[in-house]
Amino acid sequence: MRIYDIIKKKRDGYSLSTEEINYFVENYTNGTIPDYQASALLMAIYLNKMDKRETLDLTKAMINSGDTFDLSSINGIKVDKHSTGGVGDSVTLILGPMVAACGVPFVKMSGRGLGHTGGTLDKLESIKGFRVELSKDEFVRNTNDINISICSQTGNITPADKKLYALRDVTATVENLSLIAGSIMSKKLAIESDAIILDVKVGSGAFMKNIEDAISLANEMVAIGNSYGRKTIAVVTNMDEPLGKAIGNALEVREAIETLQGNGPDDLYELCLKLGSKLLVLAKKVDNEEDGRNILIDAVKSGKAYEKLIELVEHQDGDISYIKNTDLLPKAKYILEVKSKVEGYVKSIDAEEIGKAALYLGAGRETIESKLDLAVGIILNKKVDDKVELGEALAYIHSNDMEKAKEIEERLQEIYLIGNKNIDEKELIYKEIE
């Protein structure tokens, strides 16, 4: 078998066999196939696409390129959640404790933020001492003890995906559904949970900008998960404006704590209830989503979900006083109020531009090596549909650099679109896919 023949076959529009896909992934990962030939095959895939069988084979080959994380020694039906990335998306910090408080094991290996989207691990590291690197034994033991573990991905999970993604990033071959779905699902399926919910974001602040592409990606990933033998469902959700009100690591941790205490933004809480109720059905904890929603609400109202976050932090060596007193979380030197120059109703808040503004302040990474400022970010005082008076606060900028804060103040005046109240009712959830 020769890589030249595989490239030619896909260039000419034919489906690759399982053996050909395995040959490519194995030999590119071990360095036998050079970047220039791998690039040629990726471009052929990008242009001629892959069918569902090819996509599943690619995913399996990437999983088999490294270690898998056997979680069979964890008691109960284990559930996992993945978001395709957005702005102000602190769902994992809320959803995990809520689901765990209902007696269902929530297992998640998370990533770090890059660009305008945030990462769960960065947010958790706002809590003094919180340890994101766990051994497999610690991960299993903690989950059996308190029904929840959230940690970083181990070094040898899907090495083929790491190498291929880096190459796609510099060869204009990222935006292909099979390559995107295979990349995401290989990492999810290498962690051997029993059921997965996918939160596929769509809109200005998401990777997928239009609803048709988001639904196609969701269908592709659900098909891979179910074909691999894992119960997988997806929810396509709105990311045209940021989720919740906080954008920035410590700010989002504070908002997550407030939500677990019953005082969070409605859209953020509602999404956690929607995803959580589906996870409880997948875990066979309840027979229907309405019952799941009710016990999740009870977990919040009783304080059990908040206590579960404290247990998570304690088990991963974090300082729980940061949860009990959020004033201890990293704080910015300056807080600049952004006042509206007009009156009316908020018609739109471009989530991507808000994310970029927070990135400029230091809340995100331009490159994987960039150093974060965990204290900085933006708190939205007004969201879409809200009434705004002249001089009323639109947002608050948290910054350690006043010059940058003033630049962002001007940018926010442009990002907030204010006009007459003629907005169609905004949707939180567009589609559910099983």
Side-chain angles (χ1 to χ4, degrees):
M1 192 175 293
R2 296 191 308 161
I3 186 61
Y4 174 90
D5 298 319
I6 295 171
I7 295 167
K8 184 174 182 293
K9 184 177 180 181
K10 182 45 85 173
R11 182 203 68 186
D12 293 340
Y14 295 101
S15 294
L16 301 179
S17 69
T18 302
E19 292 74 23
E20 287 167 332
I21 291 170
N22 288 340
Y23 175 86
F24 164 64
V25 171
E26 179 182 347
N27 287 284
Y28 179 60
T29 305
N30 67 26
T32 303
I33 294 172
D35 281 350
Y36 65 86
Q37 286 186 306
S39 298
L41 182 56
L42 288 172
M43 186 58 75
I45 291 169
Y46 179 87
L47 295 172
N48 292 320
K49 301 182 173 48
M50 284 181 141
D51 60 31
K52 289 193 181 301
R53 194 269 309 157
E54 287 178 287
T55 305
L56 180 61
D57 283 343
L58 176 66
T59 307
K60 287 179 177 178
M62 291 194 292
I63 293 168
N64 293 334
S65 72
D67 297 335
T68 56
F69 217 66
D70 179 10
L71 302 180
S72 59
S73 54
I74 293 177
N75 303 319
I77 298 175
K78 302 163 285 294
V79 299
D80 191 3
K81 167 259 178 189
H82 176 77
S83 167
T84 57
V87 179
D89 185 0
S90 56
V91 167
T92 296
L93 305 181
I94 304 160
L95 177 66
M98 286 171 65
V99 168
C102 295
V104 172
F106 183 90
V107 293
K108 182 160 172 56
M109 286 193 175
S110 291
R112 299 194 180 277
L114 187 60
H116 73 276
T117 61
T120 298
L121 299 182
D122 301 320
K123 296 165 193 176
L124 286 168
E125 286 182 340
S126 299
I127 303 164
K128 182 181 178 182
F130 192 94
R131 189 159 54 92
V132 298
E133 294 182 3
L134 298 179
S135 68
K136 179 187 169 186
D137 288 345
E138 288 175 311
F139 189 90
V140 169
R141 184 170 63 249
N142 287 0
T143 309
N144 278 330
D145 284 349
I146 61 170
N147 279 329
I148 185 170
S149 286
I150 302 173
C151 73
S152 60
Q153 187 174 300
T154 62
N156 201 39
I157 295 285
T158 62
D161 174 62
K162 291 187 183 72
K163 195 170 180 182
L164 283 168
Y165 190 88
L167 189 60
R168 287 166 56 208
D169 197 36
V170 295
T171 56
T173 53
V174 169
E175 296 93 343
N176 171 276
L177 284 181
S178 291
L179 296 175
I180 296 168
S183 175
I184 291 171
M185 293 306 293
S186 64
K187 292 189 284 283
K188 283 287 101 180
L189 295 170
I191 314 305
E192 296 179 356
S193 59
D194 300 308
I196 303 165
I197 193 163
L198 303 165
D199 181 3
V200 181
K201 303 293 189 187
V202 61
S204 67
F207 182 67
M208 309 307 286
K209 302 298 184 187
N210 67 72
I211 188 72
E212 293 80 12
D213 288 347
I215 291 171
S216 296
L217 176 60
N219 277 314
E220 198 83 32
M221 292 193 295
V222 167
I224 292 170
N226 287 332
S227 297
Y228 200 79
R230 307 278 173 80
K231 182 58 182 170
T232 307
I233 62 176
V235 180
V236 180
T237 65
N238 188 341
M239 191 41 72
D240 272 326
E241 68 171 332
L243 187 61
K245 294 184 175 182
I247 303 97
N249 297 286
L251 298 176
E252 290 183 47
V253 171
R254 181 191 296 267
E255 184 170 77
I257 293 166
E258 290 169 352
T259 304
L260 287 170
Q261 293 173 327
N263 302 314
D266 290 342
D267 60 342
L268 180 57
Y269 184 44
E270 181 58 37
L271 181 56
C272 292
L273 289 174
K274 171 61 76 173
L275 298 176
S277 62
K278 289 180 175 295
L279 285 177
L280 295 187
V281 172
L282 288 174
K284 296 182 167 54
K285 183 71 176 179
V286 295
D287 294 328
N288 57 71
E289 290 181 37
E290 184 179 355
D291 288 348
R293 182 185 179 90
N294 288 335
I295 67 168
L296 287 164
I297 291 171
D298 286 344
V300 173
K301 286 184 174 178
S302 67
K304 290 179 181 177
Y306 169 69
E307 290 296 328
K308 190 59 66 176
L309 176 64
I310 292 175
E311 289 181 10
L312 170 67
V313 171
E314 192 168 35
H315 273 69
Q316 295 189 214
D317 298 336
D319 187 339
I320 62 172
S321 63
Y322 279 58
I323 308 301
K324 295 181 176 181
N325 178 10
T326 55
D327 285 339
L328 295 174
L329 290 165
K331 285 183 180 177
K333 191 183 299 183
Y334 308 108
I335 300 176
L336 183 61
E337 183 180 32
V338 182
K339 295 181 179 180
S340 179
K341 296 179 179 179
V342 296
E343 65 176 47
Y345 292 85
V346 179
K347 298 184 74 172
S348 72
I349 310 170
D350 189 304
E352 182 172 6
E353 291 303 314
I354 290 282
K356 288 178 178 177
L359 170 66
Y360 181 69
L361 292 169
R365 291 183 179 84
E366 291 280 5
T367 69
I368 202 67
E369 292 83 18
S370 300
K371 185 171 174 58
L372 290 182
D373 186 338
L374 297 172
V376 304
I378 299 167
I379 298 288
L380 306 178
N381 191 50
K382 296 291 183 179
K383 295 196 69 178
V384 172
D385 271 352
D386 286 351
K387 179 78 169 71
V388 181
E389 302 293 345
L390 178 65
E392 193 174 5
L394 295 173
Y396 298 92
I397 299 165
H398 292 242
S399 179
N400 286 316
D401 184 325
M402 183 53 82
E403 290 305 311
K404 283 188 174 183
K406 288 178 178 176
E407 288 181 52
I408 296 304
E409 179 185 17
E410 291 303 312
R411 200 185 301 182
L412 289 178
Q413 295 285 359
E414 298 172 0
I415 292 170
Y416 267 88
L417 181 60
I418 298 171
N420 297 324
K421 188 174 176 66
N422 59 351
I423 309 165
D424 294 332
E425 185 176 349
K426 60 183 177 182
E427 292 185 76
L428 176 62
I429 295 166
Y430 291 117
K431 191 171 180 63
E432 301 170 15
I433 298 164
E434 300 190 18

